[in-house]
Amino acid sequence: MLVRIDPSSTVPLFEQVAASLRRALADGHPAPGEQLPPARELAASLEINVHTVLRAYAALRDEGLIDLRRRRGAVVIGGASARARLAELAGELAGEAKRAGVGFEELTGILKEKYS
């Protein structure tokens, strides 16, 4: 699994790591039940602090994409690819709404209308 970060970006490193993993999960790699790389290993390969990776993993856990367990590591939860794809699309939608000057209430109204 390829995780990319841009050290010169204004986006915090943990958010870059989480976004990269979210994209991979949306593509179905790794599959449900499979483990993500150990935090220390991923941090070493990216040359970043292990706590940065752990914070990214915690964000993915909070989104319901992975399960974190001691000694077992980060494991992909079933349905994670669909949720990750939705999270990715929601981020794009929120960004587009901000650029268009659409407020949160108006955006949720549009979503409610389309969801029905």
Side-chain angles (χ1 to χ4, degrees):
M1 172 182 358
L2 184 61
V3 176
R4 292 188 178 161
I5 58 169
D6 178 5
S8 64
S9 173
T10 59
V11 177
L13 290 174
F14 85 93
E15 288 181 13
Q16 292 183 51
V17 172
S20 187
L21 291 169
R22 206 176 288 112
R23 278 190 296 279
L25 292 171
D27 292 340
H29 305 291
E34 290 185 27
Q35 287 188 304
L36 294 179
R40 288 186 194 282
E41 186 179 299
L42 184 56
S45 71
L46 296 172
E47 298 179 349
I48 60 176
N49 190 296
V50 69
H51 294 288
T52 303
V53 174
L54 290 172
R55 190 168 175 193
Y57 280 5
L60 296 174
R61 178 203 57 215
D62 294 346
E63 293 172 19
L65 301 176
I66 65 171
D67 186 26
L68 289 177
R69 297 215 177 139
R70 276 190 185 271
R71 303 196 201 300
R72 197 168 154 224
V75 179
V76 179
I77 294 175
S81 63
R83 284 186 173 165
R85 179 73 179 131
L86 285 173
E88 190 176 337
L89 289 171
E92 291 174 19
L93 179 62
E96 188 65 30
K98 286 178 185 176
R99 284 188 292 279
V102 175
F104 179 75
E105 295 299 322
E106 185 179 355
L107 179 59
T108 55
I110 293 169
L111 283 172
K112 285 179 183 178
E113 181 183 304
K114 296 296 181 181
Y115 195 77
S116 300

